Amino acid sequence: MRPPDILGGVARGLLAVTFLLSGAACSPVAMGEARVMMSGEEGAQDGYSSHLFQDDWSVRFTKYLVSVGDFTLTSSSGQTHSSSRHVLVDLQKGDVDLTRLAEVPAGRWNVGFAVRPPDDATELPDGQVSAADLELMRSRGYSYWLEGEAVKVGQGVFRFAFGFPVNARMVDCINGVDGTQGIIVPENSIAEAEVTIHAEHMFYDRLGTHRGVQLRFEAFAASAGPDKLITSEGLAGQQLLDLRGMNGGELLDAAGKPVIYEPGAYAVQTLWEFVTQSIVDQAHLNGGGVCAVVPLTR
């Protein structure tokens, strides 16, 4: 009787395992897509009513221009998928399409994007923003340009127009929908992501936190000139340690107590510096998902 071919059987078994492993290694990776929108929510579009402000002002925007783009997905292994598209849009006119990334391997991805001044490659989608506004923001280094009006009974209508020189990259964004890191790109489907701008940040009276903040506008209005126009120069004249009210005296709240803006760990001295710092981190992911902020250099 012929002895069993033990070695031959082992060899054939190893060959089969090798074939299976090599087949698995060469199997195609499931792909998906990421579609990115941008929104200023109801605040940028409809403004904020007086009951939201501690000092009874109401605010609405007529322009809310944001220069944003360079959306990037990064895997835990460091693989990236990105779009170089950079746009200047007016969120007062509604939500906009930011970009779309195709052929992205399915799985979890960290999210990053840049809020920076426009350059020669910046697009103006759908004619939302004029070439003149683009040039103004580019020449002055603004990534935000806001225009609008504020109203208070007994004070009348005040207008404002100013830009903010934010130049930063938002990274490691938390997903505002479920509190997890970044987004999950599904197999053979589309992950919907939204860059959400919280316009109310500019009216916060605290820095470095979203807790316990109040919305205030009186200090803004008190900085206006005789024409009732509020500008960046006017805000720069409001010293945080000596805030002035509408009558030129100390800024007081409804109870007669001094109004205090709390800068936290930030070395800001004027209302202009305070508001600029507050606006830096108002760009979120999917609603309230907070991002880490990395300053950019031009």
Side-chain angles (χ1 to χ4, degrees), residues 7-44:
L7 293 179
V10 171
R12 287 191 294 272
L14 291 174
L15 181 62
V17 170
T18 303
F19 177 79
L20 289 173
L21 291 177
S22 63
C26 295
S27 61
V29 177
M31 295 292 181
E33 296 184 12
R35 183 164 56 205
V36 188
M37 300 287 294
M38 189 173 183
S39 175
E41 302 182 305
E42 293 182 358

Side-chain angles (χ1 to χ4, degrees), residues 13-88:
L14 291 174
L15 181 62
V17 170
T18 303
F19 177 79
L20 289 173
L21 291 177
S22 63
C26 295
S27 61
V29 177
M31 295 292 181
E33 296 184 12
R35 183 164 56 205
V36 188
M37 300 287 294
M38 189 173 183
S39 175
E41 302 182 305
E42 293 182 358
Q45 297 178 37
D46 303 327
Y48 301 97
S49 61
S50 59
H51 77 276
L52 297 173
F53 284 83
Q54 289 298 302
D55 44 24
D56 298 323
W57 286 86
S58 63
V59 174
R60 75 176 187 91
F61 299 98
T62 55
K63 286 183 181 179
Y64 203 99
L65 309 188
V66 187
S67 178
V68 65
D70 311 323
F71 191 88
T72 301
L73 299 177
T74 306
S75 71
S76 58
S77 65
Q79 180 184 8
T80 62
H81 284 262
S82 62
S83 168
S84 61
R85 188 175 193 236
H86 189 264
V87 298
L88 177 60

